[in-house]
Amino acid sequence: MCGACGRTTVPDPVLGVVRTTRQHLIVAQTVNAISKGQPGVPYVTALSDGWLLSAPTGSKRICHTVEEVWAAVISVFTDPSLLSRLLKHQQAYADDPDNEGLPARTAQVGSGLTARAAV
């Protein structure tokens, strides 16, 4: 990610300096698993340099960091009870020993952002 390809590299505190498509796939899978069944939540697809969020309405948005992905997901929740349910799902996912590593870090970042949004 030296910039030779002409793309701007966006630092991501969750993924670190080197970003791989595999990491992007894991983040997309984690966010989709946590938010599955929530009304109006966009579907997250991994790209080589970020994520594409596709809303049920057909709108699309590109995100370059894990925090941007969660912020976009959280923004669709206007009801505090839905935010609370999302926060519980995020915390349970992060606490599950089967989800250690990147999935747990992704869920923890989401729960921190969700907790701030719920206040």
Side-chain angles (χ1 to χ4, degrees), residues 27-84:
V27 168
Q29 180 183 23
T30 300
V31 174
N32 287 331
I34 291 171
S35 57
K36 183 177 182 178
Q38 303 286 344
V41 174
Y43 182 79
V44 182
T45 304
L47 303 174
S48 62
D49 58 349
W51 297 270
L52 176 67
L53 280 69
S54 304
T57 59
S59 66
K60 300 195 184 308
R61 176 178 176 176
I62 292 180
C63 296
H64 298 287
T65 66
V66 174
E67 287 183 351
E68 284 181 20
V69 171
W70 278 120
V73 169
I74 292 166
S75 71
V76 303
F77 294 102
T78 54
D79 182 0
S81 67
L82 293 176
L83 270 177
S84 176

